[in-house]
Amino acid sequence: METVSKALSHGGIQGVYKHEAESTGCPMTFAVFVPPQAADGPVPVLWYLSGLTCTHANVMDKGEYRQAAARHGVIIVAPDTSPRGEGIPDEAGNWQFGSGAGFYLDATQAPYAKNYRMWSYVTGELPALVAKNFPADMSRQGIFGHSMGGHGALTIALTYPDRFKSCSAFAPIAQPMTAGWSKPALEKYLGTDESAWRAHDATALIADGHRFPEFLVDQGTADSFLQDGLRPWLLEEECKKAGIALTLNMREGYDHSYFFISSFMDDHIAWAAARLK
């Protein structure tokens, strides 16, 4: 693991790191904020999954999470959203697929199956690396994310409910199997058999019997992707059927940007910290 940069912030350390990832077959970069409380021993870990077109840098530069993370004593880990680099298959000009759009799944279709294995990377390889190199209490993990990353956070929490003690999302893609900007990507990554898509759709996972104690979701009412891409009411409907507690905050006038995310970042970190204690 190579240290790309380190900086002191709110008494903790904001670092950026790089390593050769076996799961994606290419170098991967990720960000980690370690709060000052880690000087006294391992602290809880909160995973942040970014949305379409993003890298680790978007939330690191614009998410405004460090003050709250330092106050509550949690590590924040921000992975990249997809494999990148020369030789990685991509669709130039298509921001909804390929580089920056890994959808936190393991592709099964050529030529993407070799590198687009973000599910294995985020749920297996990177956690092992974090556990080895940082003062992380891996018995206390939470996960949250934005948009495509909110989709990933929900599906990972529903798949590993014993691993995660909290899950929240900013403007998640609630039902990617039918959303205009995610359905084409699922078909290219996973093939035309839609039954294979269900493991990567929060509403389908809940309908199929997967459970998580509770979710927090914030959604802006002025989000231009609300009607076609996000549709949180579909998640709300499935949670009601399954008896899953969902706090859905419709934030009047907020859009899909990091102005929205940073406005409610403290709430999400406090939500996670209360459950990670």
Side-chain angles (χ1 to χ4, degrees):
M1 190 181 74
E2 170 191 348
T3 299
V4 177
S5 66
K6 273 187 178 182
L8 186 66
S9 180
H10 295 283
I13 298 293
Q14 176 65 68
V16 177
Y17 307 91
K18 189 174 183 179
H19 71 118
E20 289 289 336
E22 182 178 343
S23 19
T24 61
C26 68
M28 297 293 290
T29 303
F30 62 100
V32 180
F33 175 73
V34 178
Q37 294 88 335
D40 299 322
V43 294
V45 183
L46 187 54
W47 297 85
Y48 178 88
L49 305 185
S50 294
L52 286 164
T53 76
C54 292
T55 70
H56 68 281
N58 295 77
V59 70
M60 185 177 73
D61 294 342
K62 298 182 288 187
E64 301 180 19
Y65 58 80
R66 279 170 289 272
Q67 186 174 36
R71 181 167 64 250
H72 292 287
V74 295
I75 288 174
I76 306 284
V77 182
D80 202 346
T81 51
S82 72
R84 300 177 190 271
E86 187 177 351
I88 303 296
D90 190 18
E91 284 190 4
N94 184 0
W95 63 275
Q96 296 174 343
F97 184 76
S99 181
F103 279 92
Y104 303 101
L105 51 78
D106 283 354
T108 58
Q109 304 300 300
Y112 309 106
K114 179 180 178 182
N115 303 107
Y116 285 84
R117 302 182 66 241
M118 290 302 295
W119 180 275
S120 291
Y121 180 69
V122 169
T123 66
E125 185 172 2
L126 188 56
L129 192 70
V130 167
K132 182 179 178 181
N133 290 280
F134 298 93
D137 181 352
M138 302 303 281
S139 69
R140 293 186 290 163
Q141 296 185 67
I143 191 166
F144 69 148
H146 170 231
S147 194
M148 178 184 72
H151 135 77
L154 292 170
T155 58
I156 290 171
L158 284 163
T159 304
Y160 299 107
D162 294 333
R163 181 188 302 187
F164 297 99
K165 299 185 181 299
S166 77
C167 179
S168 67
F170 301 99
I173 305 174
Q175 194 177 82
M177 289 179 64
T178 61
W181 61 353
S182 51
K183 184 177 180 179
L186 294 185
E187 183 171 341
K188 291 174 186 177
Y189 285 135
L190 300 174
T192 57
D193 181 2
E194 295 189 10
S195 65
W197 305 2
R198 298 184 69 82
H200 298 288
D201 184 301
T203 61
L205 283 167
I206 294 170
D208 291 345
H210 290 259
R211 297 292 181 264
F212 198 78
E214 54 184 341
F215 297 118
L216 167 66
V217 172
D218 276 277
Q219 172 66 61
T221 62
D223 191 322
S224 60
F225 303 113
L226 179 58
Q227 295 297 325
D228 182 53
L230 305 173
R231 304 172 298 165
W233 49 85
L234 298 177
L235 177 66
E236 185 177 37
E237 181 181 340
E238 287 301 328
C239 284
K240 282 182 179 178
K241 290 179 185 176
I244 297 173
L246 170 65
T247 301
L248 174 60
N249 299 315
M250 298 300 297
R251 302 295 188 176
E252 189 67 32
Y254 283 90
D255 61 14
H256 200 67
S257 72
Y258 269 88
F259 296 114
F260 157 62
I261 296 167
S262 62
S263 296
F264 302 103
M265 179 63 78
D266 284 12
D267 294 346
H268 283 246
I269 292 176
W271 165 280
R275 286 148 185 82
L276 295 176
K277 288 179 180 177

